Amino acid sequence: MNDAQTPLISIKNLQKYFPIHGGVLYRRIGNVHAVDGVSFDVRKGETIGLVGESGCGKSTLGKALLHLHPPTGGTVEFEGVDLDTIPTQRLRELRKEMQMIFQDPMESLNPRMSVGSILEEPFIIHKGEHAFDTAEKRKTEILRILHEVGLPASAYDKYPHEFSGGQRQRIGIARAIALKPKLVVCDEPVSALDVSVQSQVLNLMVRLQKEMELTYIFIAHNLSVVKYIADRICVMYLGRVVEDAESQAMYKKPMHPYTQALISAIPEPDPALKKVKQVLEGDVPSPIKPPPGCHFHPRCPYTRDRCKTDDPSLRAIDGNEKHRVACHFAEEILAQSAGANA
Ligand code: SF4
């Protein structure tokens, strides 16, 4: 495999369980299976969309792959380096290459620090790992970054509460890109913003990706946002990936019944385009005790006996490794849904 083919990040069978304690002795009585055996690769410059309802494990997955939440099991390799096997100091250095943008910038930005201090922090934490070794050089660089994300130089001395939601997210983006990372995990970066501001922030992210050759893992519950930005999409349900496909293929030909329901719920602006809306019954089951077999079977309109006992693995359909689905009957369901939408 040459460099162009080597994934920037590769996760294999990643698990993140949170223990539940209870009883008189406060013993461990179970686990929340937040991420339950997820595997995928992300190539350099690619944008992967991680999509699913809230509680499906997508944000935990984002943090686990950055080792902000140490994983319970599985491996994460960044440029071929297994993050579990390297010394803490090396992991700390690698964090410079892997940054995160959070959903609510007000929560992630320290309200008592000026924007200049917030943006200087990464340079101070990673002292000796970059060329900005004096306060003067750092300030010049920070002013350049502010300009890059569309904020005026006057933002340097201001505090987060003096900005609008969209501007605060630009500060969050500025902090994430300050050290020129390779990978940015974007955790619902526009879902707290007004719709009118969302596209401006998304446009900024797309521009920065091109200029800086960034790789994004873009977490969202809204498929329409991901459609705009992602090359590939992984749909998650109860801590697992149930469908993984290139963005266009996912929208044109969703195969998993859960993906089909999510896509059918996206409003279609053209009334001439007929779309059969699929409504899912019930709520997402508890990740403390996921249903046996296919986790989706209590809500799936196509459930059969096999689904209640036999756990489907993610598999290529018709030999196409670029479109993988975790469903025993994906081919039949696709044929049926094609008929219904004809
Ligand atoms: Fe539905 Fe069965 Fe497919 Fe699961 S395996 S998605 S329950 S048809």
Side-chain angles (χ1 to χ4, degrees):
M1 196 180 263
N2 63 34
D3 271 0
Q5 291 173 317
T6 306
L8 181 70
I9 191 154
S10 175
I11 65 174
K12 291 198 175 60
N13 197 25
L14 195 70
Q15 296 165 329
K16 179 65 196 176
Y17 298 166
F18 294 101
I20 306 164
H21 295 96
V24 184
L25 298 174
Y26 202 62
R27 288 206 175 111
R28 185 176 188 146
I29 54 171
N31 288 303
V32 176
H33 299 76
V35 177
D36 200 8
V38 171
S39 305
F40 60 74
D41 293 344
V42 187
R43 305 200 178 282
K44 194 169 189 299
E46 200 177 26
T47 297
I48 295 282
L50 278 184
V51 182
E53 290 163 286
S54 60
C56 72
K58 53 195 190 301
S59 293
T60 307
L61 173 58
K63 288 182 182 135
L65 65 86
L66 293 184
H67 274 49
L68 296 175
H69 285 330
T72 310
T75 58
V76 180
E77 287 185 4
F78 184 79
E79 294 188 315
V81 175
D82 184 341
L83 298 187
D84 264 329
T85 61
I86 54 174
T88 314
Q89 173 62 20
R90 179 74 187 117
L91 180 61
R92 207 188 66 83
E93 286 165 14
L94 272 183
R95 284 206 195 288
K96 186 162 69 77
E97 314 280 7
M98 304 181 283
Q99 295 291 320
M100 189 150 186
I101 299 171
F102 296 91
Q103 177 178 356
D104 185 350
M106 205 51 196
E107 275 184 17
S108 63
L109 301 176
N110 187 334
R112 285 183 291 277
M113 286 171 74
S114 68
V115 169
S117 305
I118 289 170
L119 297 186
E120 191 178 15
E121 213 174 22
F123 292 101
I124 292 172
I125 292 171
H126 290 276
K127 195 175 160 201
E129 297 170 38
H130 52 76
F132 307 101
D133 53 358
T134 66
E136 198 186 338
K137 284 185 196 168
R138 289 195 288 273
K139 181 165 183 181
T140 306
E141 177 63 1
I142 291 165
L143 291 174
R144 188 195 67 76
I145 296 167
L146 285 172
H147 178 73
E148 190 71 21
V149 300
L151 289 170
S154 58
Y156 187 90
D157 291 314
K158 292 187 176 169
Y159 288 80
H161 72 269
E162 297 180 76
F163 295 90
S164 67
Q167 288 171 325
R168 278 199 290 267
Q169 196 52 293
R170 285 174 192 264
I171 299 167
I173 293 170
R175 185 178 55 185
I177 64 163
L179 295 174
K180 300 190 172 62
K182 291 178 178 163
L183 173 73
V184 183
V185 175
C186 316
D187 189 2
E188 306 241 16
V190 297
S191 56
L193 304 178
D194 290 343
V195 176
S196 57
V197 181
Q198 286 186 358
S199 57
Q200 294 170 16
V201 172
L202 287 173
N203 285 337
L204 169 65
M205 293 178 68
V206 170
R207 177 170 62 76
L208 291 173
Q209 180 175 36
K210 282 194 191 130
E211 288 174 6
M212 300 177 67
E213 299 184 328
L214 296 169
T215 302
Y216 286 149
I217 294 180
F218 195 99
I219 298 167
H221 63 272
N222 184 336
L223 266 160
S224 5
V225 169
V226 176
K227 184 179 183 183
Y228 173 77
I229 198 160
D231 302 305
R232 231 177 81 213
I233 297 173
C234 290
V235 175
M236 287 189 69
Y237 188 79
L238 269 187
R240 294 178 175 177
V241 172
V242 295
E243 187 158 1
D244 174 351
E246 288 181 341
S247 186
Q248 290 299 322
M250 182 81 84
Y251 283 91
K252 272 198 198 137
K253 216 164 72 168
M255 294 193 197
H256 195 281
Y258 179 59
T259 316
Q260 291 179 346
L262 290 182
I263 288 180
S264 80
I266 300 175
E268 174 52 67
D270 183 351
L273 288 176
K274 190 177 148 201
K275 198 168 177 183
V276 179
K277 187 162 181 189
Q278 298 170 28
V279 180
L280 287 177
E281 302 292 335
D283 294 322
V284 181
S286 166
I288 297 171
K289 203 171 176 214
C294 173
H295 287 358
F296 189 57
H297 86 252
R299 302 174 79 196
C300 181
Y302 304 96
T303 303
R304 298 184 202 171
D305 285 346
R306 181 182 173 195
C307 308
K308 296 174 187 167
T309 53
D310 194 355
D311 188 4
S313 52
L314 208 55
R315 65 187 173 95
I317 303 295
D318 294 335
N320 180 5
E321 285 294 336
K322 290 184 175 173
H323 199 148
R324 298 182 304 147
V325 185
C327 172
H328 300 304
F329 306 109
E331 292 86 347
E332 283 175 50
I333 290 168
L334 180 64
Q336 279 186 40
S337 48
N341 281 308

